[in-house]
Amino acid sequence: MAVAYYNYIKRRNPNLHRERIFRDIDNPLDYLDDTDIICKYRLPRNIIIDLCGRFNRDLRRPTLRSRPLPVSLQVMNAYPKRLAGFPNVIGAIDGTHIRIKSPSLDEHLYVNRKNYHSINVQAVCDSKLRFVNIVAKWPGSTNDSFILENSALKDMFERGAIPEGWLLGDSGYPLRPWLLTPVLNPTTRPEERYNASHIRTRITVERSFGVLKSRFRCLDTSGGSLFYSPTKACRVTVAVAVLHNMCINNGVPIPADCVDARDRGRNGRPQYIGPINDGVTVRNRLINRRFA
């Protein structure tokens, strides 16, 4: 940024003597080009500068004690739609597991079905792979249907606060008038067509998680675990999801190694078996009208 500032002053005053410019080796913005910045930190220069401005007061250290990182480096190291013929889709819902270190309290609650410690994160995404709702607060042993049942999202649908339309979820969720799941044992062509369209549309949420974890490796199992308390790991997850949305909203291309990313946080969710399945009539009506 020092070079850019000098060039600006030079244009204003052509006779200005060129002084030697020292680049800050602690600030990658001073010596990496735009391509390298996106490749290494997954965010473009303009978003990083914007974040620095927003969080400068919170992140800047009052002294040089312990050689604190500049704000820019702290930021950079943070690590309704219609698809496939399925109408009136508000979003696709799913859960994913974020690996964490073994917590000191209630350790057994964080062991998931694959026998590692995690938090179970529920999210709804849109067709552009943006996260429009995210719940990150439950231990890894918590099942998806419980998280949904105890979420503000469910309450909003129940009281009619969300416009008419459907969420699409897998068979780990209950079938509701506002949450459509696959037909478990399709016996007709319309049911098969419904399932095929449902899968092609719902897979966007799996892609969203895959791209998120590939773009920010701290959430992916390939990057190890988040070495924080469960509470802080939840905050990191939400913060990274916000950065992911900023990348999409600003047209930052998906890195080449993220294009075919898979969500490695899925752990073989069991089929929902419970008393709440009041969406059968709604699903059957849709199948007969749209997929027959």
Side-chain angles (χ1 to χ4, degrees), residues 18-221:
R18 180 180 178 87
E19 297 181 1
R20 184 179 181 186
I21 294 180
F22 294 91
R23 290 181 171 85
D24 185 353
I25 62 173
D26 285 333
N27 189 349
L29 290 177
D30 271 2
Y31 60 84
L32 292 180
D33 62 26
D34 292 343
T35 301
D36 289 337
I37 287 176
I38 293 177
C39 181
K40 188 170 184 179
Y41 299 106
R42 305 306 200 189
L43 299 172
R45 187 185 303 271
N46 65 305
I47 292 182
I48 292 172
I49 292 175
D50 177 60
L51 290 172
C52 290
R54 295 188 188 191
F55 300 114
N56 182 70
R57 182 176 300 177
D58 297 320
L59 296 177
R60 184 177 295 280
R61 303 296 192 269
T63 69
L64 294 179
R65 183 180 179 183
S66 301
R67 201 169 187 269
L69 293 175
V71 173
S72 59
L73 194 55
Q74 293 182 61
V75 169
M76 285 187 282
N77 280 328
Y79 261 128
K81 62 187 180 177
R82 176 188 178 92
L83 294 174
F86 214 109
N88 302 326
V89 179
I90 295 175
I93 187 171
D94 205 353
T96 192
H97 287 265
I98 306 298
R99 187 189 291 265
I100 63 172
K101 69 175 183 178
S102 175
S104 57
L105 296 176
D106 298 322
E107 176 270 340
H108 64 287
L109 296 179
Y110 291 87
V111 179
N112 63 32
R113 290 169 58 84
K114 285 194 174 179
N115 204 35
Y116 65 82
H117 297 91
S118 68
I119 55 174
N120 191 356
V121 178
Q122 174 187 282
V124 176
C125 82
D126 65 12
S127 59
K128 295 183 179 180
L129 308 186
R130 294 176 300 195
F131 293 101
V132 297
N133 181 274
I134 189 165
V135 178
K137 65 178 183 179
W138 294 100
S141 64
T142 312
N143 63 56
D144 293 350
S145 60
F146 180 89
I147 295 176
L148 176 63
E149 183 65 22
N150 290 273
S151 68
L153 182 66
K154 175 255 185 182
D155 293 337
M156 292 173 68
F157 274 105
E158 294 287 294
R159 68 173 187 267
I162 295 178
E164 183 178 352
W166 296 295
L167 290 179
L168 301 187
D170 63 20
S171 58
Y173 290 102
L175 175 59
R176 306 300 310 275
W178 43 269
L179 171 56
L180 299 182
T181 59
V183 177
L184 291 180
N185 298 296
T187 58
T188 66
R189 287 294 297 160
E191 289 180 345
E192 291 173 353
R193 285 193 286 267
Y194 165 87
N195 274 7
S197 178
H198 188 286
I199 291 172
R200 291 198 302 272
T201 306
R202 192 188 75 239
I203 201 170
T204 56
V205 69
E206 296 180 25
R207 284 199 63 216
S208 297
F209 279 130
V211 171
L212 173 73
K213 292 181 179 182
S214 294
R215 196 192 292 268
F216 301 101
R217 296 286 185 182
C218 64
L219 298 188
D220 192 60
T221 54

